[in-house]
């Protein structure tokens, strides 16, 4: 699936992260993906992103639209043309936009499911809750901007976490075709992250013990991004 470059702004992005037993994640990944390992664990999570002023890159402001979105993702590696590649596999996407839900998997890469988002935020405090219209997923996080990097994460510093997630800018999303994955690359003009401390995190997907057996998964931490100009670029489909 090929689309023109889409330009816009990341108004707010929270990266919610879990450390997971690598063997469990390996069973969830289609070929050719393998879990990307950090200190013995696989990394999964949810990207909660509010986009605004989305438009083809050739179109000037003030045209554009915005949406709230959630992408369930796993950090992955794979071999391609003799090179070891890194990115993310996205088994599910939710969106508040009917436009994105309709065009996802048809015009815009990746199938998007329509969902209701409840967001309350200030400059320092955030509450985001999601419920998909098909009742398949629910997600919620409440937290605040932190003064420093919290202890207990697999990533020893904010810089280490930032570098890891910046490297995973290429994502492959599930489609209606079980043998094809849509490719999409995020390019940020200025990559900036802030530490985020969560008071409460809930996810019907990552708390599903039929997928993640007890003891195989643990919340690791979160990052916040705000006010980032960016572009989306489609990439060649990946065949399983």
């Amino acid at each position: 699936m090929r689309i023109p470059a889409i330009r816009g702004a990341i108004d707010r992005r929270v990266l919610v992260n879990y450390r997971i037993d690598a063997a469990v994640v390996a069973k969830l990944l289609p070929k050719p993906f393998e879990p990307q390992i950090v200190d013995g664990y696989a990394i999964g999570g949810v990207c909660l992103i509010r986009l605004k002023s989305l438009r083809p890159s050739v179109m000037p402001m003030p045209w554009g639209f915005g949406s709230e979105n959630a992408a369930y993702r796993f950090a992955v590696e794979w071999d391609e043309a003799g090179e070891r590649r890194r990115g993310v596999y996205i088994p599910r996407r939710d969106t508040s936009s009917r436009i994105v839900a309709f065009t996802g998997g048809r015009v815009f890469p990746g199938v998007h499911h329509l969902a209701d988002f409840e967001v309350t935020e200030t400059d320092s405090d955030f509450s985001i809750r999601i419920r998909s219209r098909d009742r398949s997923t629910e997600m919620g996080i409440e937290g605040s901007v932190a003064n420093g990097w919290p202890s207990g994460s697999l990533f020893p510093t904010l810089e280490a976490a930032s570098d890891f997630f910046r490297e995973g800018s290429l994502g492959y999303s599930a489609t209606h075709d079980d043998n094809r994955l849509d490719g999409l690359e995020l390019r940020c003009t200025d990559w900036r992250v802030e530490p985020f401390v969560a008071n409460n995190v809930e996810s019907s997907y990552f708390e599903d013990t039929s997928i993640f057996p007890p003891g195989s998964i643990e919340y690791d931490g979160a990052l916040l991004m705000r006010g980032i100009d960016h572009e989306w670029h489609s990439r060649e489909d990946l065949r399983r």
Side-chain angles (χ1 to χ4, degrees):
M1 180 174 294
R2 308 294 291 176
I3 60 170
I6 302 296
R7 178 176 298 173
I10 297 175
D11 193 37
R12 181 263 302 135
R13 185 189 195 199
V14 179
L15 293 170
V16 183
N17 307 307
Y18 295 84
R19 52 177 177 260
I20 313 171
D21 186 314
V24 172
V25 172
K27 296 177 182 179
L28 303 175
L29 302 178
K31 297 294 184 182
F33 297 135
E34 300 174 10
Q36 185 177 351
I37 305 301
V38 177
D39 198 20
Y41 291 91
I43 302 295
V46 188
C47 170
L48 304 171
I49 186 169
R50 181 169 63 228
L51 302 171
K52 66 178 184 180
S53 303
L54 289 177
R55 64 200 186 279
S57 59
V58 297
M59 185 179 292
M61 292 287 284
W63 300 98
F65 69 96
S67 62
E68 289 276 3
N69 306 274
Y72 293 76
R73 27 189 271 162
F74 296 97
V76 295
E77 297 181 332
W78 69 99
D79 292 321
E80 184 177 332
E83 180 182 356
R84 193 67 169 173
R85 306 290 301 278
R86 288 180 174 176
V88 293
Y89 166 61
I90 304 166
R92 182 181 175 95
R93 291 181 180 272
D94 291 329
T95 181
S96 66
S97 169
R98 292 184 179 275
I99 295 174
V100 175
F102 178 76
T103 60
R106 298 180 177 90
V107 178
F108 197 79
V111 175
H112 290 66
H113 304 269
L114 197 61
D116 297 314
F117 288 71
E118 297 179 8
V119 180
T120 304
E121 62 187 65
T122 65
D123 286 343
S124 59
D125 301 314
F126 297 81
S127 174
I128 305 169
R129 302 199 67 84
I130 309 163
R131 188 178 187 184
S132 65
R133 295 285 181 88
D134 62 8
R135 300 296 189 262
S136 295
T137 56
E138 292 187 43
M139 171 74 195
I141 185 170
E142 298 175 1
S144 306
V145 179
N147 293 323
W149 185 243
S151 61
S153 171
L154 288 177
F155 304 99
T157 64
L158 175 63
E159 291 74 20
S162 175
D163 290 345
F164 178 87
F165 290 104
R166 185 173 189 175
E167 190 178 46
S169 60
L170 176 58
Y172 285 96
S173 300
T175 71
H176 294 298
D177 181 350
D178 290 339
N179 295 315
R180 180 178 60 82
L181 301 171
D182 283 343
L184 191 65
E185 181 182 2
L186 171 63
R187 296 182 184 176
C188 296
T189 57
D190 182 19
W191 180 273
R192 302 186 310 276
V193 301
E194 301 173 74
F196 186 90
V197 173
N199 303 320
N200 182 58
V201 181
E202 302 172 8
S203 171
S204 62
Y205 177 69
F206 286 105
E207 294 171 9
D208 187 341
T209 56
S210 68
I211 303 173
F212 305 98
S216 67
I217 185 170
E218 185 176 358
Y219 173 73
D220 188 78
L223 295 170
L224 174 67
M225 301 177 69
R226 293 186 282 188
I228 307 292
D229 290 332
H230 75 289
E231 288 186 349
W232 299 101
H233 292 258
S234 62
R235 289 293 173 257
E236 293 293 337
D237 296 346
L238 192 64
R239 294 285 173 176
R240 295 186 179 181

